[in-house]
Amino acid sequence: MTENQNAGIVACNDKGEIVLFNKTAKEWHGVDILKIPQEKWAKNYGLYKSDYKTLLKKKEIPLMQAFNGKILTNEEIVIKSVDQEPRIVLCNGASFHDNKGKKLGAVVVMNDITHQKLIEKNLRDSKDEIKKALIAAERSKFLLNESGRITRVGAWELDLITENVSWSDQIFKIHGLPIGTIPPLDKLMKYYVNGSEEILQQAIDICIAENKSFNLELNFKNEQNELLWLNVIGYSEVNSNGETIFLRGVLQDITEKNKQR
């Protein structure tokens, strides 16, 4: 399945050893899996910060972050391989566990946004409304990719100007809804129960007003009336005037994990 994806997919085992490079990842990095220490991953795989000059440190490498427990959401890095143009990618990933909570490894899905970045650059002198529409269309593709299914984490986005909400398929699954129409925003908040709606609303208000991200564990009741625990993560994006225009984040069903505590 991974070999047929346009996204680059890499994974490691419970020892932090790379065990999967799909076809796309091999093409982007210009190499196959190398049996080298983690400290040499950045240099050998061409992993750089967005300045195109600074090699990532071991702890900054997306796969290592995921392995160490961080849920990655649209983290941007640059891949500079020999004889290839630099490639800007968004990384989404997480660690995965067995039904007893034992960590089995981690997986990261990378989406090439080089073309999107070029579009954004070319649109800087365009009218604001046209620019927003085109960028929103490009970004929506990344919410519909396979990363949610592979990592079992769903992505969401709220456009504060239009109040439009976008979901990956995994979010529909968490809500117990068929893939298709997303309920109105006011109804979405009602899925959060036992005081969680108020906690989430307060976190969103602070995120919009102060550009502060949030990471919450909340009670949630889906369409099947099942009581779940969700890890809800969100962050804001501001425009050149410092105004918050988007909220983005992820949901993860951690019900089973909480039962084991």
Side-chain angles (χ1 to χ4, degrees), residues 53-117:
K53 299 177 181 179
T54 309
L55 277 171
L56 296 181
K57 297 178 182 178
K58 173 184 171 181
K59 65 180 180 180
E60 296 171 332
I61 296 172
L63 188 58
M64 288 305 305
Q65 292 188 61
F67 180 75
N68 290 326
K70 181 178 179 180
I71 297 175
L72 292 177
T73 307
N74 290 349
E75 184 151 326
E76 185 176 309
I77 68 167
V78 173
I79 298 176
K80 290 173 60 178
S81 300
V82 177
D83 298 328
Q84 294 189 40
E85 290 293 322
R87 190 184 307 272
I88 307 170
V89 300
L90 285 183
C91 302
N92 293 275
S95 58
F96 51 92
H97 304 74
D98 63 17
N99 56 12
K100 295 183 179 179
K102 179 183 177 182
K103 181 162 64 178
L104 300 178
V107 62
V108 169
V109 180
M110 301 175 291
N111 289 282
D112 188 344
I113 61 166
T114 310
H115 178 63
Q116 177 195 342
K117 287 291 184 178

Side-chain angles (χ1 to χ4, degrees), residues 201-218:
Q201 186 62 62
Q202 183 180 25
I204 290 174
D205 292 342
I206 294 174
C207 186
I208 294 173
E210 303 178 22
N211 195 25
K212 289 185 178 180
S213 61
F214 54 88
N215 188 336
L216 305 170
E217 292 189 6
L218 301 174

Side-chain angles (χ1 to χ4, degrees), residues 31-197:
V31 293
D32 202 336
I33 295 174
L34 301 175
K35 293 184 178 180
I36 55 175
Q38 295 166 347
E39 290 78 9
K40 295 184 178 181
W41 283 4
K43 181 177 181 180
N44 285 274
Y45 295 126
L47 308 177
Y48 289 79
K49 293 185 178 182
S50 55
D51 63 2
Y52 291 74
K53 299 177 181 179
T54 309
L55 277 171
L56 296 181
K57 297 178 182 178
K58 173 184 171 181
K59 65 180 180 180
E60 296 171 332
I61 296 172
L63 188 58
M64 288 305 305
Q65 292 188 61
F67 180 75
N68 290 326
K70 181 178 179 180
I71 297 175
L72 292 177
T73 307
N74 290 349
E75 184 151 326
E76 185 176 309
I77 68 167
V78 173
I79 298 176
K80 290 173 60 178
S81 300
V82 177
D83 298 328
Q84 294 189 40
E85 290 293 322
R87 190 184 307 272
I88 307 170
V89 300
L90 285 183
C91 302
N92 293 275
S95 58
F96 51 92
H97 304 74
D98 63 17
N99 56 12
K100 295 183 179 179
K102 179 183 177 182
K103 181 162 64 178
L104 300 178
V107 62
V108 169
V109 180
M110 301 175 291
N111 289 282
D112 188 344
I113 61 166
T114 310
H115 178 63
Q116 177 195 342
K117 287 291 184 178
L118 178 61
I119 290 176
E120 292 181 2
K121 181 177 182 298
N122 292 337
L123 287 173
R124 283 172 189 160
D125 297 327
S126 300
K127 292 182 179 180
D128 286 345
E129 289 305 313
I130 297 175
K131 180 173 69 173
K132 290 173 184 176
L134 289 176
I135 293 175
E138 286 289 326
R139 283 178 173 157
S140 66
K141 296 177 184 177
F142 300 114
L143 295 177
L144 299 175
N145 63 31
E146 293 294 313
S147 61
R149 184 162 63 89
I150 295 170
T151 62
R152 302 194 179 192
V153 175
W156 57 267
E157 176 183 83
L158 170 61
D159 184 330
L160 294 175
I161 298 174
T162 64
E163 294 191 353
N164 287 334
V165 179
S166 299
W167 283 355
S168 65
D169 291 353
Q170 189 69 16
I171 303 291
F172 286 98
K173 184 176 180 181
I174 290 173
H175 282 74
L177 293 169
I179 297 173
T181 303
I182 299 174
L185 190 58
D186 56 349
K187 182 178 179 181
L188 294 180
M189 297 298 292
K190 299 302 181 183
Y191 285 98
Y192 295 88
V193 297
N194 300 331
S196 290
E197 179 184 356

